[in-house]
Each structure stands twice: as structure tokens, then as C-alpha cells.
Amino acid sequence: MLRAARTSLLKHQFAARTRSISSTPTSGPAKSFPKEPTVHGLLPSSQSPIVSTLKFFNSVTGDGTQIPTYRVLDSVGQPVEGATLPEEIDEAMARRMYESMAQLPIIDNLMYNVQRQGKLAFYMTHYGEEATLIGSAAALANDDEVLGQYRELGVLMWRGFTLADMMNSSFGNCEDPCSRGKQMPMHFGSRKHHFHMISSPLATQIPQAAGVAFALRRDPARRGKNCAAVYFGEGAASEGDFHAGMLFASTIPSPTLFIARNNGFAISTPATEQFYGDGIAARGPGYGIHTVRVDGNDVLAVYNAVKEARRLCIEESRGVLVEAMTYRVGHHSTSDDSFAYRPRQEVEDRKRLDDPLARFRRFLEARGWWSAGEEDTLRARLKDEVLKAFKKAEVLPKPALHEMFEEVYGGEEPWILKEQREELGRLLKKYGDVWEPWKTELKKFKGEGRELMDQKS
Amino acid sequence: MNMYQAVRDALSNAMMRDDTAVVFGEDVAFGGVFRCTMGLAEEFGRERVFNTPLSEQGIAGFGIGIAAMGQTAIAEIQFADYIFPAFDQIVNEAAKYRYRSSGQFHAGSLTIRCPSMAVGHGAHYHSQSPEGFFMGAAGIKIVIPRSPTQAKGLLLASIRDPNPVIFMEPKILYRSAVEQVPVDDYQLPLARAETLVRGSDLTLLSWGTPIYYCEAAMHMLANPSGALSPHVPPSIRGAKVELIDLRTILPWDVDTVVESVNRTGRLVVVHEAGRTGGVGAEVGAEIQKRCFLKLNAPVKLITGWDIPVPMQFEKFYMPDSLRILDGVVETLTY
């Protein structure tokens, strides 16, 4: 049934319109509405049976319970009864995943502190979401296109984005491989790593992901091989662009993998003030999108769920939604003090009771794949690497000043930009040595702005 | 060909040459509410010409995604009046996509077509000329054609330009403007104004539909009808007015306009959108800066009033040929 639907889907997007109604392998409504005898017949243009009792409905499970959360490892790292461990996670892979997870809080600690010291303009930590990031990254193909929100550094680093890249981009120095000092810190992006440029406006990447996925499907070299994976928080899912992205990916065949990081907070707003329904997952079926909720602090559950979601998404060439339940342990950003809106004790409790790193470490230890000694060695090595990369990046000059005017347009440069660049050059020549704010600032740039001052009009 | 046929012809040409090109939007599959995509779905298949859900922010975002992968996305917003839900995607995303990644990614192969300007009875939401709202969005281009030939050449250039382009089609011209349009593939340059009539006494600058009102006003100036005759002093009836079609609003062709005003000493700018914050204000400021010593009269703006386009009052809202004539007379006799 499914396969037949998929085949017709590829030919005519509309032919498969009734698919999600006629075959509902994972969605809830079937349970909510037990098969009614069609004594009153069907509506002409749908499979909706006509009934004579007036009954409102809500939630997708129908009996008042919420959508279940898929888990593989319990809180002490032991497989939950009935759970299947991913076969391909052997010792090497598991260790790599753990080390990638462990790297994040070490980067976070240093960057958070140097931001507090004023050495960095801005930073956002990943505390508590390490398993969601690394579990999903490991389940994707490295050339699946990723569109992120801003708390997804782990995904990019899993693909080989180095500590040096990360630091250079954070400082926006002359080696910044991402935006060349044009965007705020944490706005990463790398064509080489199939990781689209992060931008601050929330949720804008969601309908873009559907477009990226559509393009993948139209590319003979990547059709059936790749998907577009889009990450966003539960707060961003309140934006109209979430609605648009889900609609487009379900209506126009586009293998889009939606990964919602539901960490309970959008800055100060708790999820309870963000939505009244059953989280983000409950919305998926409304769009005809296969949906699953997963324990975001369980790296193996995330891995299994995303891997299967990815397979389904590519096979059916349409959207699939994964909601990862986690908790934002850190502040929203360095501009936020989260204890102004949530008790410190709550955060401490969550850290102690459900630390994704500790859970996975216990799994490794139980298998003899990890030891306390290795933990110490790893932490010392990572700290050393992070500090070294930081120190290297910190002292590099900013990019050449003329880059400020570049890459606004492709092709011929508009006159207005040429003139404005020349105008700045003239002003720099006139005041660069006497106007203190500029004088100090210019010294931080590669070439100290000379190329602008010397340009000929 | 009329203008909708010319647009259709351009889309067909673009899709023929470029296998990645897709056309999408609300109701485009059956031919579009203005017939601009007639037969394209049959010609190129539903995978390349398809309807989207009714969501402008979705259309723009989806198009950016396609373009970010290097494929050609030709999106349609049904009326320019409904482009505002996509404003965020256009201004914050499409326009900045290249800059913010320093060229690693860009949405350059995105073109957004939208019918714009008044149509006689469109009122608030089927009449707007929102080009001015996008003028500050560095990174995009805004193009407005005046005729079928222009529409085809400029649209093909827009589709192939390495930047996201908003292409606004004056909807009243879809059927009313008819001319010989080359059937082969050709392009007209973006960011270049076109001087339609050479003159030496006054520069009249406009784009889209009002170009025709300008042309009519020029005839009225030379040969005012009996009733208007008392309002047009005989001494200026022989004035040579230079008519320029700006064609590209962003980035606009300052050189052509400056060169013209330096010769004529007078500038009248005409557009349908309201005056405050409109394109005329930008052009006027730049021209007074560059042509200050050559100007013999203040730069005159003849525009829609600063009100929503009203249904029953449209004739009194539009910068029609009479208002243009009056402005030209005032500027010539200043």
C-alpha cells in the first residue's frame, strides 16, 4: 500500500493526497476514531465516514494520554526492556559519539567564561542538548543538507568542522570560514559540510529546508540518497514559517526531516505558554506527516529515531517530524540570566537526574568501552585543544575592512556600494588617525583599513 | 503578444534552456489567475510547474531553499499586495543570504514575480505598488517592465541574474499592451534605464503603467485640447520633454538620470505608490545632490496620495496624465 502510494506520489504529487488517510502506519487518529460502520456513507471527496453523534475531538491519541516518548537507554544507561540497540554502534562509533558529546560542554565552559570577561561578543551554550545533537548528527549522512537554528554546533563539528574553524568564526577574525566577520558569533555555516548558514530570524530555515529538499529530489545525483534536515526549537515552531514548512514538505514531495528540540524554554517563556496542545509532535499528523517523539537525552534513542525518520523521509520523499524532548540546562544566551524566570534548584535537579552525557557514559562503562581513567584523559585533552584553538583565534586580526562591502550582490557591483566604500575610505584617511574610536578599532583589522584609504575612485 | 503572453513566453524560454528551473505559486498549474503560466504544466510537467499551499512566506522560503541549492526558482506571488507575509523571507533571508555567508551560499537563482499597480477597481489589496518598501533591502533587485517586449527581456535577465529579483508586472498591461515580441531568447539589461523620448527642457522619469500616462501628458503639453488650453502657456508647448523608463528600481540607474537632468535642468518623477517613503523621494534626494547647480526648478514628485488605494475614488488617486501635465507645466514655468 505504502509503496504503491509512493510510486504514484513521485509521478503526481496530487495522486497521493489520500495516502495519509487510507494508510496510517504511525499516526494517532486511527486510535482516536475506531472504525465506524459506514451506515451513513462517506463524504464524496474524502474517506470521512458520516456519523450521527456530535462529538468533538482533541489531541491525537484520543484517550487523554500524550504521545509516547521513545527511549532506548534508561537513566543509568541500561537498555530499556524491549528496546533495540542500533546494530552499527560498535565500540569505535560509540566512543566517537561520546567524545563528540563531551567536547561540547568543554567548549561551552570556556566560551561562556571568555564572553563574561568581555573577550567575545556573544555566545550560546548547548548544555543538556548534547545527545540530541550528536545522536541526530550520527544518524544523518554527512552530505544531507542541514539547516539549523543556532544551537546545533555539535552537528557541524560531527562533520569535521574543526575547533579552529569554530573559534575563528566566533571571533570573526581574518580566518573566519563562515561569514568573514559579518554575523554574530554562533552563526555558523559551511558549504563544504552541507551545513547552511545560520541566521537569527527564527524558523525562516524551515520552509527553506522544504525547498532544499525539493531541489535534492530534483537532482539526479542525490535523489533517493539525501534529505534536508532542519533543526528548530519548540519556540520557533510557533512561527508561521513552521506551519509553512510543514505544509510545503507534506504537499510538495520534499524529503525534509524536521527535528524539533523541545527544551522547555524559549528564552524565558516556558513551553506551557508556547502551546496548549501535546507539544510539537501532536501537530505532525495534522499535516499528514509521520511523527515520532523521542527522549532527547538518550543519544541512542535519538540515533534510532532519526535514522528511521531519515529512511522514511527519503523513501516517501516527504516530510517526517522528530520531536526530541530535552531540557535547556544553560541560560538562553550570554545576554540572559535564566534564574530570573526559573528556580536554580530546578536546573540543578535536572542536571543531576538526567545528564545525557552521564547516561551514555554508563552505557559505555557497562560494556567495558570506557573507564574513569579514560574520562580524565579525554577531558584533559579536550580542554587543552579547546584552549589552544581559542588562544590562536583570539590574537588573529579581523578581516580586511574592504570585505565589509563585499558579497552584497553577485555580479556587477552597484554604483551605490562603490561610492559608499570610497566615501568611507575618504573619511578614514581624514579622521582615521585623529578620531580615537576609529583609530583604536582600525588597528584590529588586517591591513588597518589602508586598502580603503588608498583606493582610487 | 500581449504582456501575459510575453511573460509566459519568457518562462517557457527559461525552462527550456535550464532543466533545473521550476515555476510555482498559488494556482499556477492551471495557467494562473492572469494566464501567465498557461500551458506550462502541460509543456514541462507537474514536477516543474506546480501549485503550492496558500502561504506567501512558504512560497518565498521554499524558493530560497531551491535557489540555495543552485537550482532556478521562479516563484509567483498572486498579487504584489500579498507579498508582505513574505517580507521577512525576502528582506532578512533572500537579500542577506549571500552577504551573511560571505558568498558560500546565495539565493541568486530566485525570481519572485508578482502582478502590481492599479487596475481600475482593485482597491486596497489588488492595486499596490510596493517597490519602495523593498528599496532598502540591499542584496535584492527590483525590476518593473512597461510592455510585452520589455517584460520578456527583463524577466529572462532577472531569472538569470545572480541575485534574487522581485519582478513586478503592471497587471493592467497584461491584456492591454500588445506589440511584436521576438519569439527567440533575448535579454534586456538590468540596472539600466531606457530613454524613450529624447528632450532638452525637462526630464520625466517613471516606470510601469504611468509611463503611458507620461506619454499622454507629453502630447497634451504640445497640443492641449480646447478646455485645457488656458492652462498650458503657449510659450512652453514646444518644450522638449525627455521621457525615461527607469525599469530597474534597485539598483537604479543613476548615471542615465543624472546625465539627463544635467542637460534639461528639470526633473519630474511619477509613480503610483504613495509619496512618503516612495522611490521618488530617493531619486529626488540623489538628483538634488548631484545636479544641484544645474537644477532650474525643484524636483517634482507626482505620486499616489499617502492613503490606501481607494475603490470608488481611484480616478482621483492616480497620478494620471492631467496631474502629470500640471506638474510638468509647473516645473517648466517655475
Side-chain angles (χ1 to χ4, degrees), chain A residues 186-455:
Chain A
M186 302 310 289
H187 291 59
F188 302 107
S190 169
R191 176 125 226 151
K192 189 170 76 179
H193 297 103
H194 300 274
F195 191 98
H196 291 241
M197 206 69 200
I198 300 286
S199 73
S200 307
L202 289 178
T204 48
Q205 78 278 18
I206 303 176
Q208 290 170 12
V212 166
F214 179 81
L216 284 173
R217 204 180 67 87
R218 289 215 67 227
D219 181 346
R222 303 183 73 180
R223 179 181 312 177
K225 295 192 183 93
N226 286 119
C227 68
V230 56
Y231 290 81
F232 51 91
E234 89 288 347
S238 297
E239 294 280 3
D241 274 335
F242 166 82
H243 170 66
M246 295 289 277
L247 265 182
F248 276 60
S250 62
T251 315
I252 305 164
S254 311
T256 319
L257 181 49
F258 298 92
I259 303 176
R261 297 180 288 97
N262 186 344
N263 63 18
F265 288 94
I267 306 189
S268 77
T269 307
T272 51
E273 292 171 28
Q274 203 67 244
F275 46 74
Y276 187 65
D278 183 10
I280 310 305
R283 301 179 200 170
Y287 294 101
I289 278 186
H290 296 322
T291 302
V292 70
R293 174 175 284 156
V294 60
D295 181 348
N297 284 7
D298 175 352
V299 68
L300 296 187
V302 173
Y303 178 86
N304 271 349
V306 171
K307 188 161 178 266
E308 177 60 11
R310 177 181 186 273
R311 189 195 63 76
L312 200 61
C313 154
I314 293 174
E315 183 179 298
E316 293 200 20
S317 197
R318 60 174 61 222
V320 175
L321 170 64
V322 178
E323 181 184 29
M325 306 304 288
T326 173
Y327 186 83
R328 197 195 76 213
V329 173
H331 301 303
H332 164 70
S333 73
T334 48
S335 310
D336 171 52
D337 172 16
S338 69
F339 301 131
Y341 50 80
R342 61 180 186 182
R344 190 181 288 265
Q345 194 53 46
E346 175 189 313
V347 178
E348 290 305 319
D349 287 349
R350 287 297 297 252
K351 269 159 75 174
R352 200 180 61 250
L353 292 173
D354 194 10
D355 174 359
L357 273 159
R359 217 202 285 196
F360 194 42
R361 187 167 63 237
R362 284 180 185 145
F363 169 81
L364 295 175
E365 284 168 353
R367 271 164 178 65
W369 291 351
W370 197 252
S371 67
E374 281 180 289
E375 181 71 16
D376 293 340
T377 316
L378 174 72
R379 284 184 179 276
R381 174 171 65 80
L382 289 177
K383 264 185 199 165
D384 183 53
E385 284 174 7
V386 169
L387 200 63
K388 272 190 183 141
F390 167 80
K391 283 186 170 159
K392 253 187 178 162
E394 187 192 24
V395 296
L396 283 175
K398 296 182 184 193
L401 200 52
H402 70 89
E403 288 199 39
M404 178 166 89
F405 289 96
E406 285 172 8
E407 304 291 355
V408 180
Y409 284 93
E412 188 187 350
E413 181 182 40
W415 57 272
I416 195 89
L417 290 180
K418 184 171 174 288
E419 289 188 4
Q420 290 175 5
R421 189 181 54 236
E422 285 165 7
E423 186 175 338
L424 177 62
R426 180 181 63 76
L427 290 166
L428 288 173
K429 208 165 186 169
K430 195 168 166 187
Y431 301 111
D433 291 333
V434 293
W435 177 238
E436 203 53 47
W438 282 8
K439 194 179 166 186
T440 318
E441 192 67 12
L442 276 175
K443 294 203 169 66
K444 300 176 186 166
F445 286 81
K446 199 174 177 181
E448 301 186 7
R450 287 283 150 207
E451 81 284 4
L452 280 186
M453 299 181 218
D454 297 340
Q455 68 192 325

Side-chain angles (χ1 to χ4, degrees), chain A residues 412, chain B residues 141-146 149-161 165 167 186-195 245-253 256:
Chain A
E412 188 187 350
Chain B
K141 293 188 177 179
I142 309 164
V143 178
I144 304 179
R146 68 168 186 278
T149 313
Q150 293 287 312
K152 182 175 172 182
L154 290 171
L155 181 53
L156 278 168
S158 298
I159 290 167
R160 291 157 184 168
D161 189 85
V165 178
F167 192 81
Y186 66 95
Q187 295 181 46
L188 295 169
L190 302 189
R192 302 281 183 278
E194 186 184 9
T195 305
D245 178 2
L246 193 59
R247 300 200 293 192
T248 300
I249 306 301
L250 183 71
W252 64 286
D253 181 357
T256 298

Side-chain angles (χ1 to χ4, degrees), chain A residues 140-146 159 194 222 225-227 310:
Chain A
L140 296 173
N142 278 347
D143 61 348
D144 285 341
E145 301 292 323
V146 168
R159 295 181 167 198
H194 300 274
R222 303 183 73 180
K225 295 192 183 93
N226 286 119
C227 68
R310 177 181 186 273

